Amino acid sequence: MFQYVIESDTGKIRVVNEDSVAVLKRPDGLMLAIVADGMGGHKAGDVASKMTVERLSQYFLEDEDAAFLTIDNRRQWLSERVKTINRLVFDHASANPECKGMGTTLIAALIKDGEGVLCHIGDSRAYLIGESIKQLTRDHSYVNVLVDSGEISQEEAEEHPKKNWIVRALGTESRIEREMIDFSFADVPYLLICSDGLSNKIPKEELASIVRSAAPLSQKGQELVSLANDLGGEDNISLILLSSMDEEV
């Protein structure tokens, strides 16, 4: 059974924490890990992320076992449920003027027996960490559009002033393109899912170094948040760190 820690911090500048985070388990050992980062600068980003996490959690705990029997079942369930939630968040924003324009990033990962599938929207990230670190997700961002078109290099993207502009978010339109990613957690010790308040502040090799340390799992999570705050803490900082090893939490 996987061990995990959750951290979510407002940061040093923001007044409201617009991130929502959750880990849930079903009786058969299937886990769902969710990080949703409400869109900064938009009204009710915290409402969008909270709605998303709460509704997806509810579906996960209440839906029939048959929905999760195989990896194909899980992939379809996750894609369809996120599609439904996108419409719910969009309709809520349309019906409530104070929520107009709200949205959220999303990474939701279903994991069982070392095999996982995740749904990715926006610029929150997922990493597999062992002897090396592998980024599973690719930001749905304006600068990555520029990189793909050849207008700027990947190195230039890292320092681009519009680096944080995302081109895909849950709830901002009636339909959403969802990126589904299969991954194996069987031979890799750690899965890190985080909002950009963490990944924008700490280079991935430094993330990996902290995660691979001999410290208890909870201390690793706290150290990651503390370092992001020490480096500026301009954004909310949230993470889920899962371990497949038997180690101190």
Side-chain angles (χ1 to χ4, degrees), residues 4 15 45 82 88 115 134 145 174 188 192 205 212 224:
Y4 66 89
V15 176
V82 170
L88 291 172
E115 298 302 317
K134 176 184 179 182
V145 172
S174 60
V188 181
L192 174 66
E205 294 301 336
R212 286 193 296 258
L224 289 168

Side-chain angles (χ1 to χ4, degrees), residues 151-221:
E151 294 183 49
I152 64 173
S153 67
Q154 189 63 56
E155 291 72 23
E156 290 172 321
E158 293 298 322
E159 303 298 330
H160 198 282
K162 296 178 180 178
K163 177 182 177 181
N164 294 334
W165 285 22
I166 60 174
V167 296
R168 200 183 302 179
L170 186 150
T172 55
E173 299 182 17
S174 60
R175 296 182 180 181
I176 185 63
E177 184 178 352
R178 310 169 298 289
E179 184 174 0
M180 307 301 297
I181 302 169
D182 293 347
F183 65 96
S184 176
F185 196 14
D187 300 317
V188 181
Y190 300 101
L191 173 68
L192 174 66
I193 304 172
C194 63
S195 62
D196 67 337
L198 184 73
S199 57
N200 276 347
K201 302 306 295 185
I202 306 176
K204 66 179 185 179
E205 294 301 336
E206 192 165 359
L207 287 175
S209 178
I210 293 171
V211 168
R212 286 193 296 258
S213 74
L217 204 61
S218 58
Q219 184 176 323
K220 296 175 186 180

